[in-house]
Amino acid sequence: MDARGQTPLHTEVSAVTQALLAWYRTHARVLPWRAPPGAARMAAYRVWLSEVMLQQTTVAAVIPYFETFTRRWSSVEALAAAPEEDVMAAWAGLGYYSRARRLVECARVVADMGAFPQDEAGLRALPGLGAYTAAAVASIAFGQRAVVVDGNVERVVSRLFAIDTPLPAAKGLIREGADRLTPDDHPGDFAQAMMDLGATICTPRSPKCLICPVANWCEARAEGKADAYPVKPAKVAKPARTGTAFWITRQGAEGPEVWLVRREGKGLLGGMRALPEDGWTARLDGSRQPPFAAAWRDLGAVTHVFTHFSLTMTVQGATVTRPPAGEGEWWPLARLDEAGLPTVFARAAARAMAGFELEIP
Ligand code: SF4
């Protein structure tokens, strides 16, 4: 503490920023959506696409999707022209499917505008761009000063300033801290340096303070309790739901096929191909009857955790000769991995396939 009761961090903010930028120049992670420090900035399309994919998904999981998307749709105009169902199918497995729909919607708006807006406010007005994504694209793709706060940055800032207010109430203080650290020059490098520091050194558990470039100024480290920040709110258990997916098969001309439906546009996993199910998305518990009378077999169960609830889904199977009532399509089992099933249904399908034996009625 200095004579005014402030810690070194409060008096040496620019030294922290410079130390972090110097560290980034030699330690930046090599990622397919990122320009190396000092190189020309990456196209806004790639920055935006990666940031949307990275929301609530790990870097390792995103890389193959990013490469597939940019190979198939190399510009925002190409993505804007793609049929939504193709994009949804390519997105399958990344989760949070409403993001994929907003991605297409945003691409179409940007294509109509002729280019991405270059400032934070203009970006924020696009469909699906929250405060974080708009700030990240403005600073990384366009070199605008913007305060970028993702989960990594939140952790680093709360430790640097030892912010002891629990989340989410601490968000304002964290943003204020990040704002004080963000430089006018190279704000994009700074944002990415903070993300990298959080991902590789200032990790949620056992941060590597001994090799941290900003350790000299870190208040949490000075207190000897880096792990204690950010202060988490008390945990609330997620509600548990149960449901049933129906694995309806037949012998097609070229091999076994399964009946798939297209989920309603606006609801959970809307617009995606899926197995028929018994309406678990609209209720908290209980079970319903299968959609028609048949010799149903129990094929096991899968569990999946959504943002607001966890689901235990039983899989019931039956072999039929006529299509069930309602809209749907017969899909060859040999090409089921091309159907673009969202993760919960891909798991249910894998469960059903493990015990699958087509019964010829
Ligand atoms: Fe994080 Fe430790 Fe560095 Fe502080 S010193 S920023 S707690 S890694």
Side-chain angles (χ1 to χ4, degrees), residues 247-261:
W247 178 255
I248 304 162
T249 49
R250 73 166 187 183
Q251 181 61 46
E254 293 176 9
E257 297 171 331
V258 63
W259 183 252
L260 299 182
V261 295

Side-chain angles (χ1 to χ4, degrees), residues 58-141:
T58 63
V59 166
V62 164
I63 288 174
Y65 283 90
F66 180 82
E67 288 176 338
T68 301
F69 265 66
T70 49
R71 239 189 339 264
R72 194 161 168 192
W73 302 294
S74 62
S75 64
V76 72
E77 291 78 13
L79 186 62
E84 186 180 284
E85 61 191 62
D86 286 3
V87 178
M88 299 298 282
W91 187 275
L94 264 183
Y96 301 95
Y97 294 93
S98 57
R99 283 187 291 156
R101 273 194 299 280
R102 302 305 289 274
L103 189 83
V104 178
E105 194 184 338
C106 180
R108 290 176 182 163
V109 171
V110 173
D112 283 348
M113 293 169 82
F116 278 94
Q118 298 199 7
D119 63 306
E120 203 178 343
L123 287 160
R124 185 80 169 85
L126 294 173
L129 267 83
Y132 164 75
T133 309
V137 176
S139 71
I140 298 169

Side-chain angles (χ1 to χ4, degrees), residues 194-340:
M194 289 287 273
M195 294 173 194
D196 283 14
L197 188 76
T200 62
I201 290 187
C202 194
T203 46
R205 278 181 293 281
S206 309
K208 304 172 187 70
C209 302
L210 285 176
I211 57 167
C212 175
V214 294
N216 284 347
W217 299 277
C218 180
E219 297 183 15
R221 178 177 180 255
E223 290 176 358
K225 51 178 197 181
D227 278 334
Y229 300 96
V231 180
K232 300 266 168 42
K235 270 202 169 173
V236 181
K238 291 186 180 191
R241 295 188 183 189
T242 57
T244 306
F246 300 105
W247 178 255
I248 304 162
T249 49
R250 73 166 187 183
Q251 181 61 46
E254 293 176 9
E257 297 171 331
V258 63
W259 183 252
L260 299 182
V261 295
R262 179 81 62 181
R263 293 178 65 81
E264 276 183 27
K266 293 287 178 205
L268 185 68
L269 311 178
M272 309 288 295
R273 271 196 203 95
L275 300 176
E277 44 86 5
D278 68 345
W280 47 263
T281 51
R283 68 197 157 81
L284 280 174
D285 209 346
S287 62
R288 292 195 193 163
Q289 295 300 312
F292 53 86
W296 293 98
R297 286 169 292 152
D298 188 355
L299 298 175
V302 293
T303 57
H304 188 78
V305 180
F306 291 94
T307 320
H308 301 298
F309 65 94
S310 69
L311 170 71
T312 300
M313 189 160 72
T314 305
V315 187
Q316 298 269 305
T319 304
V320 298
T321 49
R322 282 184 302 177
E327 286 189 20
E329 60 189 319
W330 288 112
W331 192 276
L333 286 195
R335 291 197 295 107
L336 195 56
D337 57 345
E338 296 167 26

Side-chain angles (χ1 to χ4, degrees), residues 20 34 47 51 54 120 123 130-157 171 174-183 186-196:
L20 196 59
R34 180 182 277 188
V47 177
E51 290 299 345
L54 285 163
E120 203 178 343
L123 287 160
Y132 164 75
T133 309
V137 176
S139 71
I140 298 169
F142 297 117
Q144 306 281 332
R145 186 186 183 283
V147 181
V148 182
V149 184
D150 70 352
N152 283 323
V153 176
E154 202 166 81
R155 184 167 59 255
V156 173
V157 171
K171 282 183 181 290
I174 291 171
R175 191 186 155 75
E176 215 174 274
D179 194 2
R180 292 184 60 203
L181 292 167
T182 303
H186 306 295
D189 280 356
F190 174 77
Q192 293 174 104
M194 289 287 273
M195 294 173 194
D196 283 14

